[in-house]
Amino acid sequence: MKITQLTIYPVKSLRGISLERAALTERGLAHDRQWMVVDDIGRFVTQRQLPGMARIGVRLTDEALVLEHPAAAPLVVPLERADQPRLPVYVWDDLCQALDEGAEAAAWLGAVLGDFKGSGLSLVRFAPDQRRGVEPHYLAPGEQAHTAFADGYPFLVVSEGSLDEVNRRLAAKGLAPVPMARFRPSIVIDAAEPFTEDGWDELSLHDGAVRLGLRKPCQRCKITTVDQATGEIAVPGEPLRTLVEMNTRRAPGGYFGQNAILLAGGGRTLAVGDALVASPN
């Protein structure tokens, strides 16, 4: 098997950046989910509430995070800033310390996303001295893992065969196929068997110098129904409804992909084309 796609999402729920190579950190691929949009009380805001967030493009330069939208001039956020105010913010029930990116970023978000339930919107960065642990009851004895602003895990691994099977089911309903971008994975693998990743315990590469532990199936949400190019919902409920019908986990809800942690290889690099070896559960 080989890696066929690597994608980072520097700002949670905005567009991703496809890469040929990506550095590995304990918190995920470098720069992944290091920023987040929050409301006035620090609660995270995503495409679940504002599908139009999918229209905001993201770039990284050596000096800045750049956000782009058709309705506004680009927002340039320096990567290095001094004396940023710290804010308490929430991802689900996790309380994190974050750095406020300021009034200009807040005004830009308000201009392109509009009103959000009477609340303002702010852009925050994960404080580098923070540690947000992964839920421990899914880890093996002795394992520890942490992430930044991802929903819960630093990596999401998906096989191409899984997407092919979802699209086969959609075609049987007379519906158009959906691209992999709907599921926002960080690592895509060319395994052909549908949902084969659900049977893996580990993925290794570089002769075992890099090891990923697959620890929890990813239960999907309404973000899968949002077209990641337009920010619109073309077919209400799909492909989430089809995932629920497929019942791949013999459990309520629709599942697609495996949440993963880094077991070894921090500081090394993954590349499209790298060969992987899977170890079964």
Side-chain angles (χ1 to χ4, degrees):
M1 299 182 297
K2 293 182 179 180
I3 296 174
T4 57
Q5 294 180 38
L6 293 167
T7 308
I8 60 171
Y9 308 86
V11 185
K12 184 178 181 69
S13 231
L14 303 191
R15 283 187 186 169
I17 301 173
S18 295
L19 301 173
E20 289 297 311
R21 304 179 67 83
L24 281 166
T25 79
E26 286 185 319
R27 290 178 177 151
L29 301 179
H31 305 297
D32 190 57
R33 274 98 170 184
Q34 293 297 305
W35 287 267
M36 181 170 72
V37 178
V38 298
D39 64 14
D40 285 341
I41 60 171
R43 287 284 177 186
F44 74 124
V45 178
T46 72
Q47 291 180 36
R48 297 174 184 90
Q49 300 98 350
L50 288 174
M53 292 175 74
R55 298 186 67 201
I56 300 178
V58 180
R59 290 191 291 113
L60 282 169
T61 71
D62 290 341
E63 294 83 26
L65 169 77
V66 182
L67 304 187
E68 298 173 315
H69 189 278
L75 173 70
V76 179
V77 179
L79 297 183
E80 299 292 336
R81 303 181 70 175
D83 301 323
Q84 286 178 267
R86 295 174 74 95
L87 298 174
V89 300
Y90 294 88
V91 184
W92 301 114
D93 293 328
D94 292 341
L95 173 63
C96 310
Q97 289 294 313
L99 307 179
D100 185 3
E101 295 291 9
E104 181 183 358
W108 190 91
L109 290 171
V112 302
L113 292 174
D115 179 68
F116 177 66
K117 301 178 181 179
S119 173
L121 297 171
S122 297
L123 183 68
V124 299
R125 187 187 323 209
F126 195 81
D129 59 346
Q130 287 291 289
R131 184 179 177 95
R132 179 175 167 239
V134 165
E135 46 196 357
H137 50 284
Y138 283 97
L139 303 182
E143 286 182 349
Q144 295 185 5
H146 60 109
T147 187
F149 288 140
D151 271 3
Y153 287 78
F155 303 93
L156 178 62
V157 177
V158 175
S159 72
E160 291 183 347
S162 298
L163 180 64
D164 290 344
E165 179 62 14
V166 171
N167 282 330
R168 187 184 71 79
R169 299 290 187 103
L170 291 172
K173 294 180 175 183
L175 299 175
V178 295
M180 188 66 83
R182 288 285 187 97
F183 302 97
R184 301 175 67 83
S186 45
I187 302 170
V188 178
I189 297 167
D190 65 357
E193 181 182 347
F195 300 97
T196 186
E197 61 269 33
D198 289 350
W200 298 339
D201 180 65
E202 288 189 19
L203 285 172
S204 63
L205 63 160
H206 300 320
D207 296 322
V210 174
R211 293 168 48 230
L212 297 173
L214 280 66
R215 293 296 176 259
K216 184 185 180 184
C218 187
Q219 187 171 18
R220 309 316 302 235
C221 69
K222 63 189 290 186
I223 290 178
T224 61
T225 69
V226 179
D227 186 314
Q228 295 298 299
T230 67
E232 298 176 349
I233 299 174
V235 181
E238 291 292 0
L240 186 57
R241 184 178 294 116
T242 295
L243 283 174
V244 172
E245 293 167 355
M246 291 170 71
N247 196 23
T248 59
R249 300 296 305 178
R250 301 181 186 276
Y255 292 83
F256 188 91
Q258 284 282 329
N259 290 297
I261 64 173
L262 185 67
L263 299 176
R268 296 185 66 107
T269 299
L270 294 184
V272 171
D274 278 349
L276 303 116
V277 176
S279 301
N281 289 325

